[in-house]
Amino acid sequence: MFKKFIDCLAGITMTVIGGISLIASLILSSLNIDFIFDPAWIAVIICGIPLLYLSVWRIFFNKGISKISSALLISIAMIAAIIIGDLFAAGEVAFIMAIGAILEEKTTQRAQKGLKKLIQLVPQTARRILNNEENIIPITKIKVGDTVRILPGEAIPVDGTIISGNTSIDQSIITGEYLPVDKKIGDDVFCGTINCFGSIDISTKKIGKDSTLQKLIQMVKEAENKQAPMQRIADKWASWLVPVALLIAVCSYFITDNIIRAVTVLVVFCPCALVLATPTAIMAAIGQATKHGVIIKSGEALEKMGKVNTIAFDKTGTLTLGKLKVSNVISFSSKFSETSLLKLVASAEMHSEHPLGKAIVAHAKENHIALISAKSFKMEAGKGICASVNDIRLLCGNEKYLTENNIKIPENVKNALTTLRNEGKASLLIAADGICIGIIALSDIIRPTAKTVVDKLRKMNTQTVLLTGDNFQTADYFVRQVGITSMQSELLPEDKVKALITLQQNGKNVCMIGDGINDAPALKTADVGVAMGNMGSDITVDASDITLMNDDISKIPYLKRLSNATVHTIKLSISLSLIINFVAIIISVKGLLTPTTGALVHNAGSCLVVLIAALLYDRKFD
């Protein structure tokens, strides 16, 4: 019941009411107007009781020196001011502390929606095949060794091995690969991935918490729990602030025999400016970043960004646009020009749902190539398509598909395929009337700013690393294109997490930048996680500390400069507030300040800190 009462006193509305009551108290006091009661009591109750509750709670439940906090010192000053009848001073120190708490809460709130969305990706039912009968049952009733059927378009409910059928699986949720992966009998499939085309039966290998998707969820949970909330600087210093303040106040009382001076020392010693130094600077920096399309979720992330010396990038959708584009049209037949070859293949692929086929059709339309209606269209999942265009029987697919249809692949075609694969490109072989006539290759598009960003980071003495689920050839070609110094390929989510932990154990402060659901655990594990806002999934954005709303990775060097300036501003504000407190203590001991005037001086120091922080908002960092 009491905790609910404390919660009712918290929040912006109640704090504003407390501030208004303080203004009313100051006006009435300056005009010598007697009122039924001093309005400052409202601020004392609204802002002071939660503060007192917090300080007492920490004494009983915190361990070690964390029992002594800035809340304890301010509570002592507040109680002392109430005892001598200076309610304005008591309410003022409590009010400033409440403002600091609200500002810090606003800068350190972490989104939790992403984890819920990730959990929702787990299928709740499965098609179990038992005694040649198909039944849809709850996923909890599936056991290891059961046969499960997955139809086209359905999410795979368990980890397993294909025992019947061929298909292509969109497993970007797990590996981040931008293309569906062809699967055949004997290949493994993962829970949560999408069966794109053919119907398949799988033998269940892992269920429940052992499945790949559930492990992904667990990694996000564990990484979230490891993220400690940002400590207030005043609390870090409270272990010596409290005893020093009490010692000076007691000495002042015994030397001067004046309780007013002792209470004034406690009031001006309150670390309210310290409390405000961090959240105000961080809020100004967050506002500055927002103007540039960068969303920063916590002050801790902003502070850590300045210490980052290693940037780990995901590839697809981060350093690339995540969009397939036709890069090469190669004809090996004198009968077909590159344009006519593209026209034939695009015409055949018009009915295809495969991303490669769609990209080829889109490329033909962009080049204003008139397509022809295809006949006898047939698709074999995970292999390719067969269609008749202008009475030409076309086969478009992988090497295995052509070989199975008794089509010989010449040596020069194989050499071209090897070259294209080494460049990280996906290739489609084309055969016409039983003869291999060409290749169409597709690749992801590197962001125009990728190489510039990597170069800028290198000049800032920041190492760059590529962590990707793509194969080695694709990753190796890519790092050579953009100038990244190190890379690891074919990584599952847990592998990315292990790679980041290894970097951290080697003394690196790591920032991870990614866009896919599979990057969520890595974003949580890194010292700072940055998500691509436009392309990135909601889960990835929620898992990150910082979000690039325009997918503009050129903002990464800007973020480092901004965070450095923010830390510098916080240190400057702390230094000035300590100087003001030191001077105020001296003149308080001499009797030149009362608790009320001391509270006003103390408030002026807090205002100075806010003004210094506000300068961050319009500073230029480009």
Side-chain angles (χ1 to χ4, degrees), residues 61 150 306 325:
F61 295 103
I150 303 99
K325 193 82 174 177

Side-chain angles (χ1 to χ4, degrees), residues 315-332:
K315 183 183 79 68
T316 306
T318 302
L319 289 173
T320 70
L321 296 178
K323 297 178 180 178
L324 279 173
K325 193 82 174 177
V326 172
S327 57
N328 305 82
V329 179
I330 305 172
S331 175
F332 296 100

Side-chain angles (χ1 to χ4, degrees), residues 194 224 288 302 350 376 405 426 502 543 605 620:
I194 306 299
E224 175 73 23
Q288 152 86 242
L302 189 62
M350 274 198 298
S376 307
N405 284 274
T502 299
K620 302 295 182 183

Side-chain angles (χ1 to χ4, degrees), residues 6-19 46-47 50-51 54 94-109 232 272 275-276 278-280 282-283 286 297 299:
I6 296 295
D7 292 339
C8 289
L9 295 177
I12 296 176
T13 302
M14 296 300 287
T15 303
V16 169
I17 293 172
I46 291 175
C47 305
L51 184 66
L54 177 63
F95 173 72
I96 294 294
M97 191 70 173
I99 291 292
I102 289 173
L103 291 175
E104 188 167 347
E105 182 182 3
K106 291 297 181 183
T107 61
T108 56
Q109 284 179 338
R232 295 177 186 173
C272 291
V275 171
L276 292 174
T278 298
T280 51
I282 287 170
M283 288 197 75
I286 287 174
K297 295 183 182 179

Side-chain angles (χ1 to χ4, degrees), residues 540-551:
T540 311
V541 170
D542 289 338
S544 67
D545 302 298
I546 298 171
T547 302
L548 305 178
M549 295 310 296
N550 296 320
D551 289 351

